[in-house]
Amino acid sequence: MHALEKILAKASGKEDVSAGEIVNAKIDLAEVNDLYLQTIKSFYEMGGDKVWDPSKIAFVLDHYAPAPSILSASNQKEMREFVWNQEIEHLFDVNTGVCHQVMVEGGLVYPGMILVATDSHTTTHGAFGAFGTGVGATDLASIMLTGELWFKVPEVIKIEIKGNLKRGVMAKDIILHILGELGTDIAVYKAIEFTGDTLKNLNISERMVLCNMTVEMGAKTSYIQPDEITLKYLNDRGIKDFKVFETDSDFEYSEVYQFDISNLEPQIALPHSVDNGTDIGNVKRMKVDQVFIGTCTGGRLEDIEIAAQVIKDNKVNKKTRLVIIPASNEIMEKAVEKGYVSTLIRAGATFSSPGCGPCLGTHQGLLAPGEVCATTSSRNFPGRMGSTEADIYLVSPATAAAIAINGCIADPRDYLKI
Amino acid sequence: MNTVLKGKTLVYGKNIDTDQIYPGRYLELVEPQEIASHAMEGVDPNFSEKFNKGDIIIADKNFGCGSSREHAVITLKTVGVSAIISESFARIFYRNSINLGLPLIICQGILDFVNEGDELEVHLIEGKIKNITTGKEIFGEKLPSFVLDMIAEGGIKQYYIKKKNVKK
């Protein structure tokens, strides 16, 4: 069996499971974000009274943090009241950050668990050897009611990555490249495991980027076998009580793909599809109106650090806006301590409060018709960040910073001593 | 439950994501009728003029990809889409649709089989799709029996309510 199958087997009280089988699994953590008041509505519509286990539910108010409208404020108010009335233990309010970052920082994510959240990017937690998957509001409500959810055991695709990244090339470039090669529906109903020697040099944040964007290939969940890097990270956060599952040597993957990233160039995904990636050098130097560094894909400390290193004493181009939103308050605090925030503010950046920001087109930097945006987030769908007549380009944080200086498409390696 | 559905078709392309089906700027809305007023706004600004209650949406692969927003299903279900037939569906959208009782059929080759405006007769149990306009037939994947049960109940909410009442 694959480690993911072992996780599902244990959670559903079975000796073994195999791909295609439907199982009813016990959920270790169910997370609801502030887009989904429907979760609470569905819970009561299904006859819910008390939630199954207040210690295994988290609410994260991150998509509208802080509330930009009366309606979103009212939705958040109802959610807080539900949390307090139900004595739910984990409330991450608008002062904390994006769910996939704050649950990790809060010590709620560990190997071998099943984490279900009302957010498609829950695949992120494969970086810890957890089974993380996204669902809609009503599925989540059924977990709040019963503590269980049905799953079809997924086939597993193996993606082996070899080689070391060159300076100025990041995990985001790896995943944009893989997406460009394999497409947006390669893993629909399936899981993706990353293996290979490249991982030995990727820290937790970088692994989270890879796993985060597997959902853009359609994946149900993702997996990276926990190793010393994972265990050290968890130990530093005081997380010790978990079991690491391992894949049997005779397990058969549904597909295996190999990538050598030794000579990978910075990547850029053109509008309006995530798999529309190419080398940065292949794209003409068009004007960019807004650069966004942030989100569960590209708003971690390392991302803000590289942006500060690229920008250094340069200024943001006068005809371009640079919006930076750290993925969490913890990251914001560290970025202040290390001086990255000062560097970036002096250069002309706008910082906004931790949360999802303009990634999903709700607030904090939307795009006008005809505008062009380069972003470290994960989606360039039409209208994703505002007007359907805006163009969104997906890039790494290093590339985003280089673009902010130039006001047009640029290569970060021109600003980093190699 | 009616397992044979009839409706005219509206045809869309591949990778129709949930941001296009239901743009993010309306995610704070909670009432189904309000949510319904923005159906497919990012895909087709003329959708509400073209669409008639009971119509069937036809799409190329990976329909419903992207965000997990249940609003995307609520909007289509509330305007009165009777079924969606696609080469493939993104998995969260698929689950959401079943949960809310909106039938989906995965059907390879559906785009060569249908032109926009054709009238179809969809047999959910057999997975059979009859094009009344052209007289042709095609088979999609059959829905698993527990999915049919869930749709027959009207969705997962009714399923749980019934289960609870049985317990009592």
Coordinates of all heavy atoms in Angstrom, one line a residue, chain B residues 9-67:
Chain B
T9 N -29.4 22.3 -24.8 CA -28.1 22.4 -24.4 C -27.4 23.8 -24.6 O -27.7 24.5 -25.6 CB -27.2 21.4 -25.2 OG1 -27.3 21.7 -26.6 CG2 -27.6 20.0 -24.9
L10 N -26.6 24.1 -23.7 CA -25.6 25.3 -23.8 C -24.2 24.7 -23.7 O -24.0 23.9 -22.9 CB -25.8 26.2 -22.7 CG -27.1 27.1 -22.7 CD1 -27.3 27.8 -21.3 CD2 -27.1 28.1 -23.8
V11 N -23.4 25.0 -24.7 CA -22.1 24.3 -24.8 C -20.9 25.3 -24.4 O -20.9 26.4 -24.9 CB -21.9 23.8 -26.2 CG1 -20.5 23.1 -26.4 CG2 -23.0 22.8 -26.6
Y12 N -20.0 24.8 -23.6 CA -18.9 25.6 -23.1 C -17.6 24.8 -23.3 O -17.6 23.6 -23.5 CB -19.1 26.0 -21.7 CG -20.2 27.0 -21.6 CD1 -21.5 26.6 -21.1 CD2 -20.1 28.3 -22.0 CE1 -22.5 27.4 -21.1 CE2 -21.2 29.2 -21.9 CZ -22.4 28.7 -21.5 OH -23.4 29.6 -21.5
G13 N -16.5 25.5 -23.2 CA -15.1 24.9 -23.5 C -14.5 24.2 -22.3 O -15.2 23.8 -21.3
K14 N -13.2 24.0 -22.4 CA -12.5 23.2 -21.3 C -12.1 24.1 -20.2 O -12.0 25.3 -20.3 CB -11.3 22.5 -21.9 CG -10.2 23.4 -22.4 CD -9.0 22.7 -22.9 CE -7.9 23.6 -23.3 NZ -6.7 23.0 -23.8
N15 N -11.8 23.5 -19.0 CA -11.2 24.2 -17.8 C -12.1 25.4 -17.4 O -11.6 26.4 -17.1 CB -9.8 24.7 -18.1 CG -8.8 23.5 -18.3 OD1 -9.0 22.4 -17.8 ND2 -7.8 23.8 -19.0
I16 N -13.4 25.2 -17.5 CA -14.3 26.3 -17.0 C -14.2 26.2 -15.4 O -14.7 25.3 -14.8 CB -15.8 26.1 -17.4 CG1 -15.9 26.1 -18.9 CG2 -16.7 27.2 -16.8 CD1 -15.5 27.4 -19.6
D17 N -13.5 27.2 -14.9 CA -13.2 27.2 -13.4 C -14.3 27.8 -12.6 O -15.2 28.5 -13.2 CB -11.9 27.9 -13.2 CG -11.9 29.3 -13.6 OD1 -12.4 30.1 -12.8 OD2 -11.4 29.6 -14.7
T18 N -14.3 27.6 -11.3 CA -15.4 28.1 -10.5 C -15.4 29.6 -10.3 O -16.4 30.2 -10.0 CB -15.4 27.4 -9.1 OG1 -14.1 27.6 -8.5 CG2 -15.7 25.9 -9.2
D19 N -14.2 30.2 -10.6 CA -14.2 31.7 -10.6 C -15.0 32.2 -11.7 O -15.6 33.3 -11.6 CB -12.8 32.2 -10.7 CG -12.1 32.3 -9.4 OD1 -12.2 33.4 -8.8 OD2 -11.4 31.4 -9.0
Q20 N -15.0 31.5 -12.9 CA -15.8 32.0 -14.0 C -17.3 31.6 -13.8 O -18.2 32.4 -14.2 CB -15.3 31.3 -15.3 CG -14.0 31.7 -15.7 CD -13.6 31.1 -17.0 OE1 -14.1 31.4 -18.1 NE2 -12.7 30.1 -17.0
I21 N -17.6 30.5 -13.2 CA -19.0 30.0 -12.9 C -19.6 31.0 -11.9 O -20.7 31.4 -12.0 CB -19.0 28.6 -12.4 CG1 -18.4 27.6 -13.5 CG2 -20.4 28.2 -12.0 CD1 -18.2 26.2 -13.0
Y22 N -18.8 31.4 -10.9 CA -19.3 32.3 -9.9 C -18.1 33.1 -9.3 O -17.4 32.7 -8.5 CB -19.9 31.5 -8.7 CG -20.6 32.3 -7.7 CD1 -21.9 32.8 -8.0 CD2 -20.0 32.7 -6.5 CE1 -22.5 33.7 -7.1 CE2 -20.7 33.6 -5.6 CZ -21.9 34.0 -5.9 OH -22.6 34.9 -5.1
P23 N -18.0 34.4 -9.9 CA -16.9 35.2 -9.5 C -16.7 35.5 -8.0 O -17.7 35.6 -7.3 CB -17.1 36.5 -10.3 CG -18.0 36.1 -11.4 CD -18.9 35.0 -10.9
G24 N -15.4 35.6 -7.6 CA -15.0 35.7 -6.2 C -15.7 36.9 -5.5 O -15.9 36.9 -4.3
R25 N -15.9 38.0 -6.3 CA -16.5 39.2 -5.7 C -17.8 39.0 -5.1 O -18.3 39.9 -4.4 CB -16.4 40.4 -6.7 CG -17.2 40.2 -7.9 CD -16.9 41.4 -8.9 NE -17.6 41.1 -10.2 CZ -17.1 40.4 -11.2 NH1 -15.9 39.8 -11.0 NH2 -17.7 40.3 -12.3
Y26 N -18.5 37.9 -5.4 CA -19.9 37.7 -4.9 C -19.9 36.6 -3.8 O -20.9 36.1 -3.4 CB -20.8 37.3 -6.0 CG -20.8 38.2 -7.2 CD1 -20.6 37.7 -8.5 CD2 -21.1 39.6 -7.0 CE1 -20.6 38.6 -9.6 CE2 -21.2 40.4 -8.1 CZ -20.9 39.9 -9.4 OH -20.9 40.7 -10.5
L27 N -18.7 36.2 -3.3 CA -18.6 35.1 -2.4 C -19.3 35.4 -1.0 O -19.6 34.5 -0.3 CB -17.2 34.6 -2.2 CG -16.6 33.8 -3.4 CD1 -15.1 33.6 -3.2 CD2 -17.3 32.5 -3.5
E28 N -19.4 36.7 -0.7 CA -20.0 37.0 0.6 C -21.5 36.8 0.6 O -22.2 36.7 1.6 CB -19.7 38.4 1.0 CG -20.2 39.4 0.0 CD -19.7 40.9 0.3 OE1 -18.9 41.0 1.2 OE2 -20.1 41.8 -0.3
L29 N -22.1 36.6 -0.6 CA -23.6 36.3 -0.7 C -23.9 34.9 -0.1 O -23.1 34.0 -0.3 CB -24.1 36.5 -2.1 CG -23.9 37.8 -2.8 CD1 -24.4 37.8 -4.2 CD2 -24.6 38.9 -2.0
V30 N -25.0 34.8 0.5 CA -25.4 33.6 1.2 C -26.8 33.1 0.7 O -27.0 31.9 0.6 CB -25.5 33.8 2.7 CG1 -25.8 32.5 3.4 CG2 -24.1 34.2 3.2
E31 N -27.7 34.0 0.3 CA -29.0 33.5 -0.1 C -29.0 33.0 -1.5 O -28.5 33.6 -2.5 CB -30.0 34.7 -0.1 CG -30.3 35.2 1.3 CD -30.7 34.1 2.3 OE1 -31.4 33.2 1.9 OE2 -30.2 34.1 3.4
P32 N -29.5 31.7 -1.7 CA -29.5 31.1 -3.0 C -30.0 31.9 -4.2 O -29.4 32.0 -5.3 CB -30.3 29.8 -2.9 CG -30.2 29.5 -1.4 CD -30.1 30.8 -0.7
Q33 N -31.1 32.7 -4.0 CA -31.6 33.5 -5.1 C -30.7 34.6 -5.5 O -30.5 34.9 -6.7 CB -33.0 34.1 -4.7 CG -34.1 33.0 -4.7 CD -34.3 32.2 -6.0 OE1 -34.0 32.7 -7.1 NE2 -34.8 31.0 -5.9
E34 N -30.0 35.2 -4.5 CA -29.0 36.2 -4.8 C -27.8 35.6 -5.5 O -27.2 36.1 -6.5 CB -28.5 36.9 -3.5 CG -29.5 37.9 -3.0 CD -29.0 38.5 -1.6 OE1 -27.9 38.2 -1.2 OE2 -29.8 39.2 -1.1
I35 N -27.4 34.4 -5.0 CA -26.2 33.7 -5.7 C -26.6 33.4 -7.1 O -25.8 33.5 -8.0 CB -25.9 32.5 -4.8 CG1 -25.3 32.9 -3.5 CG2 -24.9 31.6 -5.6 CD1 -25.1 31.7 -2.5
A36 N -27.8 33.0 -7.3 CA -28.3 32.6 -8.7 C -28.2 33.7 -9.7 O -28.0 33.4 -10.9 CB -29.7 32.0 -8.6
S37 N -28.3 34.9 -9.2 CA -28.3 36.0 -10.2 C -26.9 36.3 -10.8 O -26.8 37.1 -11.8 CB -28.8 37.3 -9.5 OG -27.9 37.7 -8.5
H38 N -25.9 35.6 -10.4 CA -24.5 35.7 -11.0 C -24.0 34.5 -11.7 O -22.8 34.4 -12.0 CB -23.5 36.2 -9.9 CG -23.9 37.5 -9.3 ND1 -23.9 38.7 -9.9 CD2 -24.4 37.7 -8.0 CE1 -24.3 39.6 -9.1 NE2 -24.6 39.1 -7.9
A39 N -24.9 33.6 -12.0 CA -24.5 32.3 -12.6 C -23.7 32.5 -13.9 O -24.2 33.3 -14.8 CB -25.7 31.4 -12.9
M40 N -22.6 31.9 -14.0 CA -21.8 31.8 -15.2 C -21.3 33.2 -15.7 O -20.9 33.4 -16.9 CB -22.5 31.1 -16.4 CG -22.9 29.7 -16.1 SD -21.5 28.6 -16.0 CE -21.3 28.1 -17.7
E41 N -21.4 34.2 -14.8 CA -21.1 35.6 -15.2 C -19.7 35.8 -15.8 O -19.5 36.6 -16.7 CB -21.2 36.5 -14.0 CG -21.6 37.9 -14.3 CD -21.9 38.7 -13.0 OE1 -23.0 38.5 -12.5 OE2 -21.1 39.5 -12.6
G42 N -18.7 35.0 -15.3 CA -17.4 35.1 -15.8 C -17.1 34.3 -17.1 O -16.1 34.4 -17.7
V43 N -18.0 33.4 -17.5 CA -17.9 32.6 -18.7 C -18.6 33.3 -19.8 O -18.1 33.3 -21.0 CB -18.5 31.2 -18.5 CG1 -18.2 30.3 -19.7 CG2 -18.2 30.6 -17.2
D44 N -19.8 33.7 -19.6 CA -20.7 34.1 -20.6 C -21.6 35.2 -20.1 O -22.6 34.9 -19.4 CB -21.5 32.8 -21.0 CG -22.5 33.1 -22.1 OD1 -22.6 34.2 -22.6 OD2 -23.1 32.1 -22.6
P45 N -21.3 36.5 -20.4 CA -22.1 37.6 -19.9 C -23.6 37.5 -20.3 O -24.5 38.1 -19.7 CB -21.4 38.8 -20.5 CG -20.1 38.4 -20.9 CD -20.2 36.9 -21.2
N46 N -23.9 36.7 -21.4 CA -25.2 36.6 -21.9 C -26.0 35.4 -21.4 O -27.0 35.0 -21.9 CB -25.3 36.6 -23.4 CG -24.6 37.9 -24.0 OD1 -24.8 39.0 -23.5 ND2 -23.8 37.7 -25.0
F47 N -25.4 34.7 -20.4 CA -25.9 33.4 -19.9 C -27.4 33.6 -19.5 O -28.2 32.8 -19.9 CB -25.1 32.9 -18.8 CG -25.6 31.6 -18.2 CD1 -25.3 30.4 -18.9 CD2 -26.4 31.5 -17.1 CE1 -25.7 29.2 -18.4 CE2 -26.8 30.3 -16.6 CZ -26.5 29.1 -17.2
S48 N -27.7 34.6 -18.7 CA -29.0 34.7 -18.2 C -30.1 34.9 -19.3 O -31.2 34.5 -19.1 CB -29.1 35.8 -17.1 OG -28.8 37.0 -17.7
E49 N -29.7 35.5 -20.4 CA -30.6 35.7 -21.5 C -30.8 34.4 -22.3 O -31.9 34.1 -22.7 CB -30.1 36.8 -22.5 CG -30.1 38.2 -21.9 CD -29.1 39.1 -22.5 OE1 -28.8 39.0 -23.7 OE2 -28.6 40.0 -21.7
K50 N -29.7 33.7 -22.4 CA -29.8 32.4 -23.2 C -30.4 31.3 -22.5 O -31.0 30.4 -23.1 CB -28.4 32.0 -23.6 CG -27.6 32.8 -24.6 CD -26.4 31.9 -25.0 CE -25.2 32.8 -25.2 NZ -24.0 32.0 -25.2
F51 N -30.3 31.3 -21.2 CA -30.6 30.1 -20.4 C -32.1 30.0 -20.1 O -32.8 31.0 -19.7 CB -29.9 30.2 -19.0 CG -30.1 29.0 -18.1 CD1 -29.5 27.8 -18.3 CD2 -31.1 29.1 -17.1 CE1 -29.8 26.7 -17.5 CE2 -31.4 28.0 -16.3 CZ -30.7 26.8 -16.5
N52 N -32.7 28.8 -20.3 CA -34.0 28.6 -19.8 C -34.0 27.5 -18.8 O -33.2 26.5 -18.9 CB -34.9 28.1 -21.0 CG -35.1 29.3 -22.0 OD1 -35.6 30.3 -21.6 ND2 -34.6 29.1 -23.2
K53 N -34.9 27.6 -17.8 CA -34.9 26.6 -16.7 C -35.0 25.2 -17.3 O -35.8 24.9 -18.3 CB -36.2 26.8 -15.9 CG -36.1 26.2 -14.5 CD -37.3 26.8 -13.7 CE -37.6 26.0 -12.5 NZ -36.5 25.5 -11.6
G54 N -34.2 24.3 -16.8 CA -34.2 22.9 -17.3 C -33.1 22.6 -18.4 O -32.8 21.5 -18.7
D55 N -32.4 23.7 -18.8 CA -31.4 23.5 -19.8 C -30.2 22.6 -19.3 O -30.0 22.6 -18.0 CB -30.8 24.8 -20.3 CG -31.7 25.6 -21.3 OD1 -32.7 25.0 -21.7 OD2 -31.4 26.7 -21.7
I56 N -29.5 22.0 -20.2 CA -28.4 21.1 -19.8 C -27.1 21.8 -20.2 O -27.0 22.3 -21.4 CB -28.6 19.7 -20.5 CG1 -29.8 19.1 -19.9 CG2 -27.3 18.9 -20.3 CD1 -30.2 17.8 -20.7
I57 N -26.1 21.8 -19.3 CA -24.8 22.4 -19.7 C -23.9 21.3 -20.2 O -23.8 20.2 -19.6 CB -24.2 23.1 -18.5 CG1 -25.0 24.4 -18.2 CG2 -22.7 23.4 -18.7 CD1 -24.4 25.3 -17.0
I58 N -23.3 21.6 -21.3 CA -22.3 20.6 -21.9 C -20.9 21.3 -21.8 O -20.8 22.5 -22.1 CB -22.6 20.4 -23.4 CG1 -24.1 19.9 -23.6 CG2 -21.6 19.4 -24.0 CD1 -24.4 18.6 -23.0
A59 N -19.9 20.6 -21.4 CA -18.6 21.2 -21.3 C -17.5 20.3 -21.7 O -17.6 19.1 -21.6 CB -18.4 21.8 -19.9
D60 N -16.4 20.9 -22.2 CA -15.2 20.1 -22.4 C -14.6 19.7 -21.1 O -15.1 20.1 -20.0 CB -14.2 21.0 -23.3 CG -13.2 20.2 -24.0 OD1 -12.9 19.1 -23.6 OD2 -12.7 20.7 -25.0
K61 N -13.4 19.1 -21.1 CA -12.8 18.5 -19.8 C -12.6 19.5 -18.7 O -12.5 20.7 -18.9 CB -11.5 17.9 -20.2 CG -10.4 18.8 -20.6 CD -9.2 18.1 -21.0 CE -8.1 19.1 -21.3 NZ -6.8 18.6 -21.5
N62 N -12.6 18.9 -17.5 CA -12.2 19.6 -16.2 C -13.2 20.8 -15.8 O -12.7 21.8 -15.3 CB -10.8 20.2 -16.4 CG -10.0 20.3 -15.1 OD1 -10.4 19.6 -14.1 ND2 -9.0 21.0 -15.0
F63 N -14.4 20.5 -16.0 CA -15.4 21.6 -15.7 C -15.4 21.7 -14.1 O -15.4 20.7 -13.4 CB -16.8 21.1 -16.1 CG -17.9 22.2 -15.9 CD1 -18.0 23.2 -16.9 CD2 -18.7 22.2 -14.8 CE1 -19.0 24.2 -16.7 CE2 -19.7 23.1 -14.6 CZ -19.8 24.2 -15.6
G64 N -15.4 22.9 -13.7 CA -15.5 23.2 -12.2 C -14.2 23.2 -11.5 O -14.1 23.0 -10.3
C65 N -13.1 23.3 -12.2 CA -11.8 23.3 -11.6 C -11.5 24.6 -10.8 O -12.3 25.5 -10.9 CB -10.6 23.1 -12.6 SG -10.5 24.4 -13.8
G66 N -10.5 24.5 -9.9 CA -10.2 25.7 -9.1 C -10.8 25.7 -7.7 O -10.9 24.6 -7.1
S67 N -11.3 26.8 -7.3 CA -11.7 27.0 -5.9 C -12.8 26.0 -5.5 O -13.6 25.6 -6.3 CB -12.3 28.4 -5.8 OG -13.2 28.5 -4.8

